[in-house]
Amino acid sequence: MTVSVPGPRSRLLWAVTGVVAVLAVVATVAWTSGRHHSRAGADGLPHTAVEVSRSRCGRGWTDPAPGLRVFELHNTSGAATEVMLENPATHAVYGEVEDVGPGTTRELTVRIGTGTYAFLCVPDDADALTGPTVRVVGGTASPAAVPVTEHDLIPPTLGYQTWVGQGLTEVVRLTGRLRAAIDRGDLAAARSAWLPAHLEYERLGAAYDAFGDADQAVNGTDAGLPGGVHDPDFAGFHRIEYGLWHGQSAAALRAPAAALVKAVTGLRDSWAQTRMDPAQLGLRAHEILENTVQFELTGRTDYGSGSSLATARANVDGTREVLSRLRPVLATRYAGLADLQRQLDRTQRLLDGFRDGDVWTPLDRLTRTRREDVNAAVSDLVERLASVATLCDPRRTV
């Protein structure tokens, strides 16, 4: 398991969880220095002091025996430095730590196997530097992944943007149907029309950041509003949801419905001029279900419809769409991609089990066991998607 020990912006990287390689003891090193830096740590692992600076990047690793070990990365320069342990020929990365501050030491825990290694130091506002090459022989090579560039992410982002534009057109159509039902005073039809419109919007989850302030007008909650659900700034789908399931009249809901249609129509009409940040697409894939755990599975965004599980299911769809765009980037970098897809399938089947036609079981009617099942399934996906976010974070290597 390749990890950077928790610290400012440290990351869990691209290892295969639970893999423990038993390696033979044959090692050669392509360079030497005067002092032996390894020692046994309190955790029982060998600890190796490694200097990371503009003049001495990667100096200190003189005993490259295979196995799990901790590198103590000490920055002797005057600038914060990102440090990666990579294969210097392919630039595949085994582990990394960001923002090692001047005069500070951060730990990087990596399983070392057969392969060629070098530390890459990427100081702020300076060229990247590659340290001495270290060769380890014996046993299975550690997992690694070639860094992603923004150029790699442009095609999937453009494809996703096109898909979002199509989705917004459908949101406009469905919210128009919702508004029409409210305008004619048919609240039963409005309740039936509310959920399809809301779920269509929820599936566009990776674009919310690009929507900007418009998202609050479409899908905001009453959080932080002085008047709560009665605050005049409470708007969008959840404002209408509250009214439809709390006995408000059609007359009281006509203005919020009109405002919702105006907001989604504005989003659709301006979307062609919007540019999503390619560097954020992998992070958004992770955040969709992370937010699902935080909001939908706690019931915080249920204003009476009892549709939290339906929203969670729509968020699974939204996650699948982002992953389908990122597949060309992930296929050669993420060994857990197939397992992630299988877990998405299992979670989808689990959530579909709470649906009977157009009716979904409210979250508060689940047994404790079933609720724990849902929480565990979605939380497992969130953990797996953290690797997607990490892998798709563009890195400066030169």
Side-chain angles (χ1 to χ4, degrees):
M1 184 174 186
T2 305
V3 300
S4 55
V5 174
R9 295 184 66 203
S10 63
R11 296 177 183 162
L12 178 66
L13 291 173
W14 313 298
V16 179
T17 302
V19 174
V20 179
V22 180
L23 304 175
V25 184
V26 181
T28 61
V29 61
W31 61 279
T32 60
S33 66
R35 190 162 66 91
H36 191 281
H37 289 272
S38 290
R39 59 178 174 78
D43 52 12
L45 298 175
H47 283 234
T48 302
V50 174
E51 184 176 345
V52 291
S53 67
R54 296 180 182 180
S55 60
R56 295 180 59 81
C57 177
R59 300 284 176 173
W61 185 14
T62 62
D63 59 335
L68 190 64
R69 66 188 308 134
V70 179
F71 294 103
E72 298 177 348
L73 308 175
H74 182 64
N75 186 356
T76 59
S77 74
T81 302
E82 180 177 356
V83 184
M84 289 178 262
L85 182 62
E86 69 169 16
N87 180 319
T90 65
H91 301 295
V93 177
Y94 297 93
E96 101 181 284
V97 175
E98 285 193 334
D99 294 335
V100 183
T104 64
T105 301
R106 299 272 301 283
E107 292 185 349
L108 173 65
T109 304
V110 184
R111 182 168 297 283
I112 300 299
T114 295
T116 304
Y117 302 84
F119 281 99
L120 179 71
C121 301
V122 189
D124 287 353
D125 302 320
D127 293 337
L129 302 166
T130 301
T133 296
V134 175
R135 297 182 181 88
V136 177
V137 177
T140 303
S142 302
V146 176
V148 169
T149 67
E150 283 206 40
H151 180 77
D152 296 325
L153 294 170
I154 289 173
T157 303
L158 291 176
Y160 184 74
Q161 278 192 218
T162 299
W163 178 81
V164 170
Q166 296 166 351
L168 284 171
T169 296
E170 182 65 4
V171 173
V172 170
R173 185 184 72 82
L174 292 172
T175 52
R177 180 184 294 176
L178 169 63
R179 179 187 180 182
I182 291 173
D183 283 348
R184 67 176 182 267
D186 189 345
L187 296 184
R191 282 189 286 272
S192 296
W194 180 88
L195 185 58
H198 184 237
L199 296 184
E200 189 66 25
Y201 185 79
E202 285 284 344
R203 293 187 182 97
L204 310 180
Y208 288 172
D209 186 64
F211 291 162
D213 293 340
D215 181 59
Q216 182 66 25
V218 174
N219 207 35
T221 69
D222 68 326
L225 298 179
V229 294
H230 303 295
D231 195 280
D233 289 332
F234 183 35
F237 279 113
H238 292 304
R239 165 66 184 90
I240 296 170
E241 177 188 10
Y242 179 82
L244 287 173
W245 275 273
H246 286 83
Q248 292 187 351
S249 67
L253 293 174
R254 286 190 182 111
L260 175 60
V261 170
K262 181 179 179 181
V264 296
T265 301
L267 266 179
R268 181 201 61 187
D269 293 347
S270 64
W271 186 246
Q273 286 74 49
T274 303
R275 293 292 177 265
M276 291 184 64
D277 182 357
Q280 298 296 313
L281 192 59
L283 177 62
R284 302 298 171 226
H286 173 252
E287 287 180 340
I288 292 171
L289 290 180
E290 185 179 47
N291 289 340
T292 300
V293 171
Q294 184 178 1
F295 297 108
E296 272 66 52
L297 298 188
T298 59
R300 289 172 61 184
T301 53
D302 182 0
Y303 286 86
S305 66
S307 61
S308 295
L309 294 175
T311 303
R313 175 65 174 81
N315 293 159
V316 170
D317 288 340
T319 301
R320 282 190 186 277
E321 183 62 31
V322 182
L323 289 176
S324 73
R325 305 293 173 176
L326 290 172
R327 179 175 289 278
V329 173
L330 295 171
T332 58
R333 291 178 171 89
Y334 183 30
L337 184 58
D339 286 339
L340 170 58
Q341 296 290 352
R342 283 190 285 270
Q343 182 61 18
L344 278 168
D345 292 341
R346 286 192 289 267
T347 304
Q348 177 176 320
R349 289 193 296 269
L350 175 63
L351 292 171
D352 283 343
F354 301 115
R355 179 179 184 177
D356 183 10
D358 294 330
V359 179
W360 289 78
T361 303
L363 191 66
D364 59 7
R365 293 186 189 174
L366 296 184
T367 65
R368 178 175 179 177
T369 298
R370 296 304 279 163
R371 191 157 182 170
E372 288 174 349
D373 289 343
V374 172
N375 288 339
V378 180
S379 296
D380 180 83
L381 283 172
V382 171
E383 183 175 345
R384 294 173 190 271
L385 288 162
S387 294
V388 171
T390 299
L391 283 164
C392 293
D393 185 6
R395 286 161 174 79
R396 182 169 70 93
T397 58
V398 294

